[in-house]
Amino acid sequence: MSLSESDKKAISEALLPVLADHYALYLKMQGYHWNVTGPAFYALHKLFGKKYQSLAKDVDEIAERIRTLGPKVAASFSEFQRLSSIEDGLVDLKAGDMISDLVKGYETLIQKIRKVFKLAEKADDQVTMDLLTSLLSSHEQTVWGFKSTLQ
């Protein structure tokens, strides 16, 4: 059985802020990759690079899921900024503060993903649930790793 048009619309609209938050976190991660300093520079520079590349992949998968459900995806900074709840990164943060800020961003994403998951579950949209489960698994592991770095 296929998804109803109203379910497709509701899920795709709920995914837009998730997409915007991923893009905002991608930009923040890339900025931190460029600007990290300190004794852990090499390890964090490499880690942040790996993570922003992973976020870029996530952005593409979320956008393609929205398109599969129907609507076109606006792809402008202003639209993403309007939809996102992730704050911009600051270039002068110390490495530990960058990590704490990234944890906050990932935790925001995790909360949003869980809300959209419930909507997809109610509509019996296994494809969106699968995508969101994969994102949750990756993001929760990232939060664990970042928090462990801060201890």
Side-chain angles (χ1 to χ4, degrees):
M1 180 168 89
S2 64
L3 296 172
S4 71
E5 290 305 312
S6 63
D7 284 340
K8 288 179 184 179
K9 184 177 188 310
I11 294 166
S12 62
E13 286 176 357
L15 283 170
L16 287 171
V18 172
L19 173 66
D21 279 350
H22 275 82
Y23 196 80
L25 194 58
Y26 161 83
L27 288 174
K28 181 182 286 199
M29 187 77 71
Q30 190 172 48
Y32 290 168
H33 166 77
W34 292 332
N35 292 297
V36 67
T37 59
F41 164 78
Y42 186 74
L44 290 176
H45 178 75
K46 196 170 184 173
L47 176 63
F48 292 165
K50 180 180 173 186
K51 292 297 178 185
Y52 85 72
Q53 290 171 0
S54 177
L55 286 164
K57 180 180 157 283
D58 296 342
V59 164
D60 190 57
E61 289 179 2
I62 296 163
E64 288 179 358
R65 181 62 190 153
I66 294 168
R67 286 294 295 133
T68 300
L69 293 169
K72 292 200 174 181
V73 180
S76 67
F77 286 119
S78 60
E79 184 67 7
F80 286 153
Q81 189 173 33
R82 183 182 72 78
L83 292 168
S84 178
S85 54
I86 305 283
E87 296 178 13
D88 289 340
L90 303 172
V91 297
D92 291 332
L93 293 179
K94 294 186 184 290
D97 294 331
M98 288 178 177
I99 294 168
S100 293
D101 188 41
L102 291 167
V103 166
K104 181 179 170 187
Y106 274 102
E107 287 176 338
T108 296
L109 267 178
I110 289 166
Q111 289 174 355
K112 273 192 187 168
I113 291 168
R114 289 188 185 286
K115 288 178 184 174
V116 179
F117 185 91
K118 289 178 184 176
L119 184 64
E121 186 176 40
K122 183 178 175 190
D124 200 28
D125 179 0
Q126 291 96 353
V127 176
T128 299
M129 289 187 302
D130 184 54
L131 170 62
L132 297 176
T133 299
S134 175
L135 293 172
L136 281 171
S137 176
S138 172
H139 297 345
E140 287 179 349
Q141 187 174 27
T142 297
V143 167
W144 166 60
F146 280 160
K147 283 183 174 180
S148 295
T149 300
L150 293 172
Q151 294 178 349

